[in-house]
Amino acid sequence: MAVGSGLRLVVVGEIDVDQEELDSLTAQLRRRLLEIDVDDVRTVPSGDALPDGAKAGELIAVGALAVSLAPAVLRPALRLVETWMKNRPVKSVKLEMDGRVIELGHVSAEQQQQLIEAFLAPGPVPDSATDGTGQSAGAQE
C-alpha cells in the first residue's frame, strides 16, 4: 500500500432513511475522519455510489466519501467507521481500497473484528467472510 492511498467509503442507510438524512450522516462521518490523521476526505456524488445489486427504481439512500490516508492510519480509520456506525440508522458501510472490498454491517464485535483483520491482511480473503447478513463481505483482489 503506497503512501497517500485512497479509501472509498459507501454508506447505505436503513430503509427509513432518506437522502437528506444520509447526507447529514455522511457529513458527520467525514468530520470524524478529518479528526484523525487522514490527508483528505471528499464527498463523492451519491449517484456514483449505488451499491452492487441495487435494482433500477429501488429507493436506496447512499452517501460516499473518498479518503486519502497513509497506511499507518488505515486501522484507526476502520475502527472509527466501525464505532461511528453504532446507534446510527446505517445499514452498512462498504470500504474499497487497492482492489480490496469489505462491507461492515451490524454484526457481533467478534465478526466485525474478523472482517477488519481479513481486510487488512495481505493476500486474498476467504470467500466465507460475511457481514452477518449472509452476503459476502470479504476483501477481494
Side-chain angles (χ1 to χ4, degrees):
M1 211 176 314
V3 174
S5 292
L7 176 66
R8 179 177 164 92
L9 300 155
V10 177
V11 181
V12 179
E14 293 287 355
I15 195 145
D16 60 343
V17 174
D18 64 17
Q19 190 63 49
E20 184 177 335
E21 183 178 4
L22 192 66
D23 288 345
S24 175
L25 289 166
T26 304
Q28 289 174 14
L29 178 56
R30 180 182 181 276
R31 286 189 299 274
R32 293 288 312 276
L33 285 164
L34 287 168
E35 291 173 4
I36 63 175
D37 200 18
V38 298
D39 297 327
D40 191 26
V41 183
R42 296 178 188 256
T43 56
V44 176
S46 60
D48 296 340
L50 285 178
D52 294 336
K55 295 178 177 76
E58 188 174 19
L59 295 176
I60 298 176
V62 176
L65 298 170
V67 183
S68 297
L69 68 158
V73 186
L74 181 57
R75 184 177 298 272
L78 293 176
R79 290 281 172 236
L80 185 145
V81 171
E82 177 184 24
T83 302
W84 175 85
M85 286 182 62
K86 295 178 182 174
N87 300 316
R88 288 192 173 73
V90 173
K91 180 179 177 181
S92 65
V93 177
K94 182 178 177 180
L95 302 104
E96 299 177 43
M97 180 174 212
D98 296 336
R100 297 173 66 84
V101 178
I102 184 174
E103 186 166 350
L104 301 178
H106 294 285
V107 296
S108 73
E110 182 180 330
Q111 290 171 315
Q112 202 84 285
Q113 178 67 29
Q114 289 172 351
L115 287 171
I116 290 170
E117 291 304 320
F119 182 73
L120 294 172
V125 175
D127 289 337
S128 62
T130 65
D131 65 358
T133 65
Q135 298 177 0
S136 177
Q140 302 168 343
E141 285 197 318

